[in-house]
Amino acid sequence: MTPYACWADTPVPALRAADHLLLALATELALPEGTFGCTHLVRGDRPRVALSFTLPSEPLLRTAEERLTAHGYEVRPGVPDPVGRAVVYPGVGSLNGAMTVGELLTRSAIDRVTVLGTQGQPPVGQTMVTHGHVRPQWHDGELVLAAMPAVGGTLVPFEVPDPTPCCADH
């Protein structure tokens, strides 16, 4: 079990809505620096998105649990799965616009960047354009950002802020 972590189930069926809920709760709960807030897909009879919070200390965790419970959430210890998608994490606020891969790694809790269709990691000097939407995911205890090639030899996060729905032109 992840130390100082809890999670709450939600009725929210989509990641974008879950992101908004997680960000609103993080603000309302006044979560401190060093907090990780993640979304987790829950499959089964009722697909939905759960939210997890990992805090820097046990007293902060207890406070967050009490506040979530007061907001009507059933709070459970730990995280629902080990592959959460991070929305709130140290340094996320500094990841807007163009920067190098090295700057992205230095400014944030992201451990590694991967590029779809390639092996290894991109050069630390390669430019990454984020548009303020950076959603890394936990893989084997590391926070990993999946990126893809873009115009002019730059990289962009694989997940875009406003995706075009499938079959939008039909």
Side-chain angles (χ1 to χ4, degrees), residues 88-105:
V88 173
Y89 52 93
V92 66
S94 69
L95 303 180
N96 195 5
M99 67 198 71
T100 66
V101 169
E103 290 170 327
L104 179 135
L105 295 172

Side-chain angles (χ1 to χ4, degrees), residues 141-169:
E142 287 186 309
L143 199 53
V144 180
L145 177 64
M148 59 187 177
V151 176
T154 63
L155 296 173
V156 294
F158 175 71
E159 185 178 329
V160 295
D162 296 311
T164 302
C166 179
C167 305
D169 61 344

